[in-house]
């Protein structure tokens, strides 16, 4: 079946550090890939997405590139801020699928 | 932000009690979803709806039922709550089946 694997963390970084959160997937079809972010006490918000191989999604300084050859969609940011502290979810939607498949989430804490 | 509200936001109930959670949207989106969020599992789909009175089961539907009598409202009912249903419940909406999902703020349910 379809699945998403991501590092669960917690990941703790100092402000202005470089961030990478790994995400790999298994899919029976050709998926679209997403990163969602959940701030404390809130619902999930779409951060970025990519719908085909080699596409790069970007938003708020975050980037992720759809790598079909390695079945990966790693999230990166060059310089994190305290306000980036949140839980990050990688997810996929397969063509013809009924729903999203989410990874377990990665908790990020950024210290001043 | 997508207009999605959930009620109640917090609920404590006892085992064996029926519980109904409500999701209300003001976006007129066709699709609505109920997920539960548990540590280590990310989000898992319970049920979804593709129109008024049209619903289908998700990955973890046992013990849950849903109803959608109006486009804007999607109800999730725990017919006889159990402690294993203690979780955070999120509603989501989307225009189409494989389009971006937008999430509500969540309902935290504790079953004693």
């Amino acid at each position: 079946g379809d699945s998403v694997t991501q590092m669960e963390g917690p990941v703790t970084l100092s402000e202005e550090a470089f961030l990478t959160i790994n995400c790999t997937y298994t899919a029976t079809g050709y998926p679209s890939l997403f990163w969602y972010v959940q701030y404390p006490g809130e619902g999930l918000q779409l951060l970025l997405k990519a719908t085909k191989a080699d596409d790069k999604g970007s938003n708020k300084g975050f980037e992720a590139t759809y790598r079909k050859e390695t079945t990966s969609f790693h999230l990166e940011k060059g310089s994190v801020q305290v306000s980036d502290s949140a839980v990050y979810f990688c997810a996929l939607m397969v063509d013809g699928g009924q729903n999203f498949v989410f990874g377990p989430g990665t908790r990020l804490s950024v210290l001043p | 932000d997508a207009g999605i509200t959930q009620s109640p936001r917090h609920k404590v109930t006892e085992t064996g009690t029926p519980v109904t959670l409500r999701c209300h949207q003001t976006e007129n989106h066709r699709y609505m979803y109920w997920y539960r969020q548990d540590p280590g599992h990310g989000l898992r789909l319970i049920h979804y709806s593709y129109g008024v009175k049209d619903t289908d089961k998700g990955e973890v539907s046992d013990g849950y039922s849903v109803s959608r009598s109006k486009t804007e409202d999607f109800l999730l009912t725990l017919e006889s709550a159990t402690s294993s249903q203690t979780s955070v419940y999120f509603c989501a909406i989307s225009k189409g089946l494989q389009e971006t999902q937008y999430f509500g703020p969540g309902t935290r349910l504790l079953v004693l």
Side-chain angles (χ1 to χ4, degrees):
Chain A
D2 303 328
S3 66
V4 174
T5 301
Q6 61 178 114
M7 51 196 297
E8 291 196 39
V11 175
T12 302
L13 296 174
S14 297
E15 204 165 25
E16 299 184 1
F18 184 86
L19 169 70
T20 299
I21 301 178
N22 290 338
C23 171
T24 58
Y25 67 88
T26 302
T28 52
Y30 190 52
S32 295
L33 302 173
F34 303 78
W35 277 101
Y36 278 83
V37 58
Q38 183 180 28
Y39 298 103
E42 299 183 11
L44 278 71
Q45 302 174 24
L46 178 67
L47 183 58
L48 53 85
K49 68 178 183 181
T51 58
K52 61 182 187 293
D54 299 326
D55 268 2
K56 177 185 283 188
S58 61
N59 186 26
K60 298 182 181 180
F62 291 89
E63 293 183 340
T65 301
Y66 188 141
R67 300 289 188 198
K68 189 178 179 184
E69 64 276 13
T70 55
T71 62
S72 64
F73 193 53
H74 304 323
L75 182 68
E76 296 182 335
K77 186 175 185 183
S79 176
V80 293
Q81 305 300 311
V82 172
S83 58
D84 294 326
S85 297
V87 180
Y88 293 82
F89 292 91
C90 186
L92 66 83
M93 167 69 84
V94 176
D95 281 351
Q98 298 172 339
N99 59 275
F100 279 55
V101 175
F102 285 86
T106 299
R107 183 174 299 278
L108 171 66
S109 295
V110 181
L111 305 178
Chain B
D1 290 342
I4 312 170
T5 56
Q6 293 184 229
S7 58
R9 293 292 314 278
H10 303 271
K11 186 168 181 68
V12 180
T13 192
E14 294 187 350
T15 298
T17 303
V19 176
T20 296
L21 309 182
R22 179 180 183 238
C23 176
H24 179 78
Q25 61 145 329
T26 58
E27 305 297 321
N28 201 35
H29 283 3
R30 179 180 175 190
Y31 287 81
M32 299 185 75
Y33 310 80
W34 277 108
Y35 291 88
R36 59 178 289 173
Q37 182 182 28
D38 303 290
H41 290 280
L43 275 74
R44 292 179 292 175
L45 183 69
I46 304 171
H47 283 278
Y48 71 101
S49 169
Y50 48 97
V52 174
K53 298 187 179 178
D54 292 323
T55 65
D56 205 351
K57 295 179 179 180
E59 179 187 357
V60 291
S61 60
D62 287 348
Y64 301 94
S65 62
V66 290
S67 66
R68 191 168 178 200
S69 59
K70 298 184 289 185
T71 298
E72 57 267 33
D73 289 329
F74 192 32
L75 304 181
L76 176 71
T77 297
L78 289 64
E79 289 137 16
S80 178
T82 67
S83 57
S84 64
Q85 293 176 312
T86 292
S87 187
V88 181
Y89 292 85
F90 286 99
C91 174
I93 65 173
S94 68
K95 287 183 182 178
L97 180 59
Q98 296 174 44
E99 298 195 35
T100 300
Q101 294 186 11
Y102 299 93
F103 286 79
T107 294
R108 189 172 296 274
L109 176 67
L110 174 61
V111 183
L112 300 175

